[in-house]
Each structure stands twice: as structure tokens, then as C-alpha cells.
Amino acid sequence: RAFDAEFAKDMASVGGAKYAAVAELAWRQSFGACKLVAGPRGEPFMFSNENGSGGMIGTTDVFYPQLPHLLLSSLTLTKASLAPTCIYAATTNWPYAYAPHDLGLYPCMNGQHYAMGDGCHWSGKHTDDSCRMPVEECGNMLICLAAVAKADGNADFAAQWWPTVTKWAEYLSQFGFDPEDQLCTDDFAGHLAHNANLAAKSIVALACYARLADKL
């Protein structure tokens, strides 16, 4: 109740009562499909659920736009959303140089589901890198990790998976400036080459990686 009152007051001061009402609803929607669980060592993990699309769990381009809400509410929840993806990407179960799109099909976290079996079925493409949003998700993860480092005042969280984080930066350095035929989070639009949004995200993400490296 104390948080609700503070949040409503802050939102009203920015945009008035109607804005505050919409913001409060958006806040609840943001967290409504998330599940908080205990990890193998008792640490908190939080997973999103794609309700209206593919039903994936822990989707990178779902918690990326949620990050401002996560950071505003709790740095612990923010890390709990990012850690499972970092852990998974650092294992041999994910042998790719780019960040994963998701962690499975909700509620089972048993490895990426998106474009791993039948390819990009709506486009007729085979299952390959271009189907898995590699530039999109590398950019998302690097920006998210830098945001955590800024809030934390150090890059210790990202440092736990530094070789993996570095691989993502190297992938963007090679493929991000002028992306080839790839999907982005707007996958309903299909594959797009020379995607300016992805290129801009890559540039920002590499700057974020540089900030992480500087802190380390």
C-alpha cells in the first residue's frame, strides 16, 4: 500500500490523475505474467510468460522493455530476471555466439523453444541464426546488464559471465552495424535486412559493453 501510494503520487505529479491511473494499470500488467521462484542455490529467479504470442518463458525481448519497471521496483528482481539467461547462455546447452531468445515453453525452462525445431514457420525459412533474433537479443542483454551496473555502481553482476558477455559484444561488432536478413522483436513483420533499429541498438549495446569493461 505504501508503494502504491508513492507510485500514484509520482505518476500524478508527472501527468495528472488520468496518467497515474493508466500507469498503475500498466505496472500491474507488466508484472502480472511473471513467476518468482527459487534457483538451485535458493537465489531468486523471475520469469516472464509470453501470454499473447508463443507462450515462451524468460523471453529476452519481453523483459528488456520491462526493465525500467524492474529497476524502479527492485534491483534484486532485475537481477533475478537476467541471471537465468546468463546462466543458460554460459552452458554447453547453448553453443551459439549470440544471446538466447527464451528459456523454453512456459512453464518448462528446458532450453530455447523459439525457432529451434521447425524453423521460422511463417516465412518458410529453415531453422538458422536469422530465425533466433541474434542481434536483437545480444543488444538487449548488454543494455540490460549495463543498466544493472549503473544501478549497482559496479559491474560485478555481469562479471560472473564475462566470457559470454564478451561473445555477445563481439557478435554485435561483427554483425550489428548493418544486420543481414534477421528477425527482430517485431517478428510479425518478418525478416528485414539492413534494419536501422537493430543497427542503432547494436551501437548503444557496444557502448554499454565498453562501460561494463571500464567498471571492471
Side-chain angles (χ1 to χ4, degrees):
R1 287 175 181 168
F3 176 83
D4 278 350
E6 182 182 4
F7 185 80
K9 182 181 177 181
D10 286 347
M11 296 300 103
S13 70
V14 172
K18 289 183 178 180
Y19 178 82
V22 172
E24 289 178 77
L25 288 171
W27 182 275
R28 279 156 175 74
Q29 183 185 34
S30 176
F31 287 100
C34 293
K35 183 68 72 175
L36 188 64
V37 302
R41 296 187 301 276
E43 72 274 45
F45 287 163
M46 193 165 83
F47 301 108
S48 61
N49 176 17
E50 288 195 48
N51 284 336
S53 48
M56 271 73 76
I57 185 172
T59 303
T60 306
D61 55 293
V62 169
F63 63 67
Y64 168 76
Q66 188 193 19
L67 202 78
H69 283 182
L70 292 167
L71 283 167
L72 188 59
S73 62
S74 166
L75 191 52
T76 298
L77 283 183
T78 310
K79 293 177 180 179
S81 297
L82 298 176
T85 299
C86 295
I87 293 169
Y88 172 49
T91 70
T92 55
N93 292 322
W94 183 253
Y96 308 102
Y98 48 84
H101 168 273
D102 63 83
L103 301 173
L105 196 62
Y106 193 93
C108 299
M109 194 182 64
N110 52 7
Q112 177 163 319
H113 174 78
Y114 188 88
M116 297 302 285
D118 58 354
C120 305
H121 52 275
W122 63 89
S123 67
K125 286 181 174 287
H126 298 294
T127 301
D128 60 20
D129 289 353
S130 69
C131 291
R132 299 181 189 135
M133 305 188 194
V135 171
E136 172 77 55
E137 308 304 17
C138 285
N140 290 340
M141 285 304 298
L142 290 175
I143 294 169
C144 286
L145 290 170
V148 168
K150 183 176 181 179
D152 244 350
N154 61 71
D156 294 351
F157 180 73
Q160 298 174 84
W161 306 284
W162 193 246
T164 300
V165 174
T166 299
K167 276 199 305 185
W168 296 340
E170 290 172 344
Y171 185 90
L172 291 184
S173 178
Q174 184 175 357
F175 299 107
F177 181 70
D178 185 12
E180 297 178 350
D181 193 31
Q182 288 210 0
L183 287 179
C184 69
T185 188
D186 298 328
D187 54 1
F188 51 82
H191 283 68
L192 294 170
H194 318 297
N195 187 321
N197 287 342
L198 287 183
K201 179 171 284 187
S202 297
I203 293 166
V204 172
L206 285 171
C208 287
Y209 176 78
R211 292 186 180 186
L212 289 168
D214 186 60
K215 285 184 180 295
L216 290 174

